[in-house]
Amino acid sequence: MIKKVLITGATGLIGTELVRQCHREGISVNYLTTSKEKIENSENYKGFYWNPKKGKIDVSAFDGVTAVINLAGATISKRWTKKYKKVILDSRIAPINLLRDTLQNIDHTIVHFISASGISIYPNSETKLYSEEDEEVDDTFLGEVVLAWEAAAAQFKNMGMEVSKVRTGVVLAKDDGAFPQLVKPVKFGVGAPLGNGEQWLSWIHLEDIAGIYLFLLKNQLEGKYNAVAPNPVQNKKMTKMIASKLENPLWLPNIPAFAIKLFLGEMSVLVLEGQLVSSKKIEQLGYPFKYYNLDNALQDLL
């Protein structure tokens, strides 16, 4: 039985919900933070300072811990300048390498390493359903990032640990992440499908993404897992469903792809491309989705 876990990125969107769910299950959380102001110290929630850029880490963070959940990584929803692309990549690889180097040099009790990853490893497609068995890698910047991210996580296998990679879809949460950005234009009466609207959105509710991490942790499951809800939708359908829930009619034509590319540059792939991703593997292992389809997710979020 897992009693204590170390989480990186614990104060972020997914991390905050995961901490809540761990505590509900009686699991204590140690967390690493780059901000000394965010260090708390209660019985079941203890913060420790680290600075992956400078290779600094408080090793007492590992005391009594049997698993690490790595959620560290800068947001991808910020303009991809050459400089910021380096930030996106480094913010995912440097923390993992620091954890690896530290654990190689101390006595520890960690048997399981669970790392965030992304479904953007799969190539953009409107027709192919991707499962964890698929080996193709998207030739975009994000495909490269996820490949490097997963390779970095795989190193813990050589240290005798179980390794899990959580390929996360588009996380839907009330006040943060992608969802408020999808809702805003519809709320103001200027919502419209993006590009041709056919691109798939393999989404997951915040409670379920945290739930999947907890499920892998408690059952000590290793391997790659698609963390997406069982019913992906296309961009035009999601836009229509949000409009219907808000009772705001859609009257604008689709926003043309060229306009979005002009505005967002290379990061336009985030909204113009998508992957149809299967959740069968995690379902068959017994994970019970709370938000199975978009209708009940929107019911909760709007």
Side-chain angles (χ1 to χ4, degrees):
M1 174 63 195
I2 295 281
K3 290 194 169 62
K4 190 186 279 188
V5 63
L6 175 65
I7 302 178
T8 73
T11 57
L13 177 66
I14 296 170
T16 305
E17 175 61 21
L18 179 55
V19 168
R20 191 183 72 78
Q21 292 191 22
C22 282
H23 285 162
R24 196 177 63 202
E25 295 285 321
I27 299 167
S28 292
V29 173
N30 283 1
Y31 66 97
L32 287 163
T33 174
T34 55
S35 164
K36 288 180 178 169
E37 291 73 55
K38 286 186 180 175
I39 291 176
E40 290 182 39
N41 196 348
S42 63
E43 195 188 342
N44 63 358
Y45 188 57
K46 289 188 169 72
F48 300 85
Y49 178 73
W50 75 333
N51 185 333
K53 276 188 201 159
K54 293 184 176 169
K56 287 183 178 174
I57 189 167
D58 181 347
V59 294
S60 41
F62 299 101
D63 292 351
V65 166
T66 48
V68 175
I69 297 178
N70 172 55
L71 304 173
T75 178
I76 54 169
S77 304
K78 193 172 155 181
R79 189 172 273 278
W80 296 355
T81 58
K82 197 174 174 186
K83 192 175 171 188
Y84 193 66
K85 280 164 88 170
K86 188 175 177 343
V87 170
I88 290 173
L89 187 59
D90 290 352
S91 68
R92 283 158 175 74
I93 309 305
I96 294 180
N97 288 346
L98 179 55
L99 290 168
R100 177 204 64 203
D101 294 347
T102 308
L103 292 174
Q104 279 172 338
N105 292 306
I106 62 168
D107 288 333
H108 64 84
T109 47
I110 292 160
V111 294
H112 195 183
F113 185 81
I114 304 172
S115 183
S117 175
I119 60 167
S120 40
I121 194 165
Y122 302 119
N124 169 47
S125 176
E126 288 174 12
T127 52
K128 182 171 168 54
L129 177 66
Y130 288 105
S131 78
E132 292 83 350
E133 307 304 310
D134 285 297
E135 297 291 334
E136 306 104 293
V137 175
D138 195 26
D139 60 3
T140 60
F141 166 64
L142 286 185
E144 283 168 44
V145 168
V146 180
L147 200 59
W149 206 1
E150 292 196 352
Q155 301 172 101
F156 292 84
K157 193 85 185 134
N158 308 331
M159 294 161 65
M161 295 177 211
E162 311 257 339
V163 174
S164 319
K165 299 159 193 169
V166 183
R167 291 180 170 172
T168 310
V170 177
V171 177
L172 303 186
K174 200 174 292 229
D175 303 315
D176 202 353
F179 188 66
Q181 306 308 318
L182 292 166
V183 171
K184 203 187 287 177
V186 182
K187 242 183 194 160
F188 291 121
V190 290
L194 305 175
N196 65 7
E198 306 283 328
Q199 64 278 33
W200 285 98
L201 206 75
S202 291
W203 61 275
I204 185 164
H205 190 287
L206 178 62
E207 282 178 47
D208 278 321
I209 179 65
I212 285 174
Y213 277 104
L214 189 62
F215 182 77
L216 297 176
L217 177 72
K218 286 169 67 181
N219 295 290
Q220 229 178 303
L221 296 166
E222 64 171 340
K224 293 178 273 204
Y225 297 91
N226 291 335
V228 294
N231 293 293
V233 295
Q234 287 173 304
N235 172 268
K236 60 183 178 187
K237 183 168 184 193
M238 179 174 266
T239 311
K240 279 179 187 160
M241 286 176 79
I242 292 170
S244 155
K245 283 265 184 281
L246 292 172
E247 297 181 353
N248 267 11
L250 295 176
W251 55 275
L252 286 172
N254 288 26
I255 298 167
F258 78 85
I260 295 166
K261 284 177 184 167
L262 214 57
F263 183 61
L264 293 177
E266 195 181 345
M267 69 180 276
S268 61
V269 296
L270 291 177
V271 293
L272 291 176
E273 296 188 358
Q275 302 84 4
L276 176 59
V277 178
S278 166
S279 60
K280 279 282 175 284
K281 183 177 178 180
I282 197 85
E283 284 182 272
Q284 283 167 351
L285 287 165
Y287 178 73
F289 276 91
K290 186 173 177 186
Y291 296 95
Y292 205 84
N293 55 46
L294 189 59
D295 194 57
N296 65 348
L298 293 181
Q299 200 70 45
D300 176 67
L301 295 168
L302 292 172

